[in-house]
Amino acid sequence: MKAIVNAKIVFPEEIREGTIITDGRKIIAAGDCTAPANAEIIDARGLFVGPGFIDQHTHGYSRFGEAHSVYGDMKAMAYCHLLHGTTSITPSPSYSHTMEEFLTAARECHEEMKNEKTSIVGLFYEGPFTSPNEGACSTTAWPYSDEACDTIFKAGGKAVLHCTYAPEMPWGESFEKILQKYDIVADIGHTDLSPEDAERAVKNGAKIVTHLYDAMGCCRGRDSANVTGTLQEQVADILLSIPGLYYELICDSCFMHVKPTSIRLAYRTAGEDCIIVVSDSTGDNIFKYNDRFPADSPVNAEDLYYNDAGELSGSRLCEIDCVRNFMHATGADVRVGFKVGSTNPAKALRIFDRVGSVAPGKDADLAFVDEDMYLHKLIFKGDVLEGIRVNR
């Protein structure tokens, strides 16, 4: 039994000084409680202690000279993210991966989830059926077929927690029924949808917006009836106008994926209960453009990734970095940081009964951070992890 004392405990709606007691795997009590006489004492030294972070959208890991992809070395990828405080992760094959890579990812996920101390909680399929008009290497989106659906969803099984698609495609409504059949949360993304498409998708169960603002177009372009000339019916605006959705934001330090004003707009519009911060990290560790661009170009930024075509294509971030950048952009405090980085994704993925908050009965996955959201200590499944990684 462990007792974490002198902690500023981060609950979803408040921060309260107190004690957290665990039995080694689960939280027994949190708040105004007394450490049992036989408990191992862990002194939080006034740090904020909240639920481990959840990254529901990641394709790999690329930091500290290491690179691991979502297929081929998924276990190593998840462990590296764990050392940065990501205690729940959904590895994410995407529309640019091949069928073989999807099936490899599914096999590796199932194998790793047999390990009761893995941080992998399931799979996220970013596609493969999305719009060929939106996103890096968008033309690699798969042509739709029932056979391909059956193959990848049967391979993934119950491990597939959520899946991105473009509702405006001719097969959009049929695909929504398939996601319902497999009980998979539907994500809207890589899309040029109309308001009508969005309303139908939500009616048919869509709950998450994949990286709001990124890989999204404008439904009709310029509206001739609009005298101001402002672009009308942009996909991000359409989706923000619909209640009941969760919105992913990729928050890199350069704000190349989403500008600070747009982050603040989404936060103000959707509120703290509906924003989810994700890394969209990649497993490519090669800086391709150092000699072609100035050193201060965002193309050479430490936490961004540009593909062979020179397109912004994800990041080299971990979840805690994205949360910190979100806080910088919005002025949000540590409590909200844990909400967008843990509580909200847990609810969106329907795993809030196990993770996402400090509460009795939940996994003892706990991150010790300071007010600037830097990780000082991590407890995972009741174990204090050594070798945590912090970039300052």
Side-chain angles (χ1 to χ4, degrees):
M1 185 171 292
K2 293 180 173 65
I4 301 158
V5 301
N6 299 322
K8 295 176 182 174
I9 307 173
V10 184
F11 298 104
E13 304 307 327
E14 65 174 342
I15 296 175
R16 192 164 77 240
E17 294 184 0
T19 297
I20 302 171
I21 301 171
T22 79
D23 66 1
R25 293 300 303 273
K26 299 288 185 179
I27 297 170
I28 297 174
D32 299 324
C33 51
T34 303
N38 63 339
E40 174 190 346
I41 302 299
I42 298 174
D43 191 346
R45 301 181 183 277
L47 289 170
F48 297 92
V49 182
F53 294 98
I54 300 171
D55 192 350
Q56 67 176 38
H57 186 150
T58 182
H59 306 288
Y61 175 88
S62 179
R63 298 283 286 277
F64 294 101
E66 288 186 68
H68 306 287
S69 71
V70 73
Y71 61 92
D73 46 7
M74 184 181 291
K75 181 176 181 177
M77 180 209 78
Y79 184 71
C80 286
H81 278 283
L82 175 64
L83 295 179
H84 292 271
T86 302
T87 56
S88 297
I89 196 166
T90 56
S92 314
S94 74
Y95 60 88
S96 60
H97 289 127
T98 65
M99 173 67 80
E100 180 181 352
E101 289 166 342
F102 262 77
L103 299 181
T104 297
R107 286 194 299 269
E108 291 188 2
C109 180
H110 283 296
E111 186 62 29
E112 183 57 17
M113 287 181 70
K114 295 176 184 177
N115 175 5
E116 63 179 13
K117 288 203 171 185
T118 185
S119 61
I120 296 173
V121 295
L123 287 167
F124 164 45
Y125 284 171
E126 189 181 12
F129 310 112
T130 53
S131 170
N133 302 323
E134 295 294 341
C137 298
S138 58
T139 56
T140 60
W142 295 15
Y144 179 83
S145 74
D146 291 339
E147 293 76 17
C149 281
D150 286 340
T151 300
I152 62 173
F153 289 130
K154 286 180 179 177
K158 292 183 178 180
V160 185
L161 298 184
H162 59 132
C163 175
T164 296
Y165 76 111
E168 77 277 11
M169 300 300 286
W171 40 261
E173 190 165 11
S174 297
F175 191 64
E176 289 158 8
K177 293 177 182 178
I178 290 175
L179 294 180
Q180 289 175 335
K181 169 186 171 183
Y182 285 97
D183 194 29
I184 295 169
V185 176
D187 295 21
I188 298 170
H190 293 271
T191 175
D192 292 311
L193 58 67
S194 69
E196 295 75 23
D197 296 321
E199 290 171 6
R200 187 204 72 235
V202 172
K203 182 179 179 181
N204 287 338
K207 293 297 294 182
I208 300 172
V209 175
T210 297
H211 46 50
L212 184 70
Y213 296 111
D214 290 304
M216 293 181 177
C218 187
C219 172
R220 294 189 300 176
R222 292 190 178 275
D223 188 334
S224 59
N226 179 22
V227 295
T228 67
T230 303
L231 285 172
Q232 295 292 298
E233 295 187 304
Q234 296 181 78
V235 169
D237 295 338
I238 293 169
L239 295 172
L240 278 171
S241 74
I242 299 176
L245 290 170
Y246 290 95
Y247 304 90
E248 289 184 355
L249 291 172
I250 306 169
C251 298
D252 59 78
S253 63
C254 299
F255 300 108
M256 293 300 294
H257 286 91
V258 186
K259 299 300 181 187
T261 49
S262 295
I263 294 174
R264 289 192 288 270
L265 175 62
Y267 178 40
R268 183 174 179 180
T269 303
E272 65 179 51
D273 292 329
C274 295
I275 297 295
I276 294 173
V277 172
V278 299
S279 72
D280 195 24
S281 60
T282 71
D284 193 327
N285 201 35
I286 302 171
F287 287 87
K288 299 182 174 67
Y289 302 104
N290 295 51
D291 299 331
R292 293 169 50 190
F293 293 88
D296 60 353
S297 168
V299 174
N300 286 324
E302 185 178 85
D303 62 4
L304 296 176
Y305 175 69
Y306 286 76
N307 63 23
D308 290 323
E311 301 169 315
L312 181 62
S313 184
S315 79
R316 304 175 194 277
L317 294 158
C318 290
E319 180 70 13
I320 195 170
D321 307 310
C322 302
V323 171
R324 185 184 311 113
N325 294 334
F326 173 85
M327 291 168 59
H328 289 169
T330 62
D333 63 7
V334 169
R335 181 188 64 81
V336 174
F338 274 103
K339 208 164 194 179
V340 302
S342 184
T343 302
N344 295 346
K347 289 181 176 179
L349 299 181
R350 302 180 296 189
I351 57 175
F352 189 61
D353 60 323
R354 293 179 283 146
V355 294
S357 69
V358 180
K362 294 198 175 183
D363 290 353
D365 298 343
L366 301 166
F368 296 60
V369 305
D370 57 32
E371 62 182 1
D372 295 317
M373 199 55 77
Y374 284 103
L375 186 67
H376 289 250
K377 187 189 295 288
L378 183 68
I379 295 179
F380 178 62
K381 309 296 188 197
D383 296 332
V384 179
L385 293 190
E386 302 296 335
I388 60 172
R389 300 175 173 184
V390 182
N391 270 356
R392 293 182 183 273

